[in-house]
Amino acid sequence: MIKVTAGADAPERCSQAFTVAAVAVASGVDVSLWLTGESAWFALPGRAAEFELPHAAPLPDLIESVMAAGRITLCTQCAARREITEKDVIEGVRIAGAQVFVQESLADDTQALVY
């Protein structure tokens, strides 16, 4: 489980989270990537394409990699604060809250990373 709290406001931390998630998926790990705080904007179509960080993999490619074999969840409260609804997000992104986060993070053999 990887929780990313940073967006364009902290680009290196944001990129690290998505990169680690994509590498974990490529390594065969079951990945659950949670978008919280400013990273919530990347649940919207086209927003990842606006993100730039020199010497980093393109964010849309990393998201595609994670979605191919993992799952991406947008925090319910983070979505509500930004007026993002289920009809607004990229297909395949779910919106869920703290109960689901706690359930996933406390599951057996789960390692949680926060960026």
Side-chain angles (χ1 to χ4, degrees):
M1 167 176 267
I2 298 169
K3 180 178 182 181
V4 55
T5 62
D9 60 325
E12 287 184 306
R13 198 161 30 106
C14 175
S15 180
Q16 289 168 356
F18 282 95
T19 299
V20 168
V23 169
V25 165
S27 299
V29 176
D30 180 26
V31 172
S32 178
L33 177 66
W34 280 71
L35 306 178
T36 67
E38 285 303 298
S39 71
W41 295 114
F42 297 126
L44 297 174
R47 286 294 183 103
E50 298 171 4
F51 181 85
E52 292 183 14
L53 181 63
H55 310 291
L59 204 54
D61 294 349
L62 297 173
I63 290 172
E64 184 178 318
S65 295
V66 174
M67 299 270 302
R71 62 196 163 281
I72 297 179
T73 304
L74 171 59
C75 162
T76 301
Q77 290 182 11
C78 300
R81 280 190 280 277
R82 291 160 180 81
E83 299 181 356
I84 299 171
T85 67
E86 288 184 359
K87 67 180 180 179
D88 300 320
V89 299
I90 298 167
E91 185 177 340
V93 171
R94 71 176 173 169
I95 298 176
Q99 180 182 3
V100 176
F101 179 82
V102 169
Q103 182 181 25
E104 283 189 12
S105 65
L106 296 178
D108 290 341
D109 298 325
T110 297
Q111 175 67 52
L113 304 173
V114 179
Y115 287 87

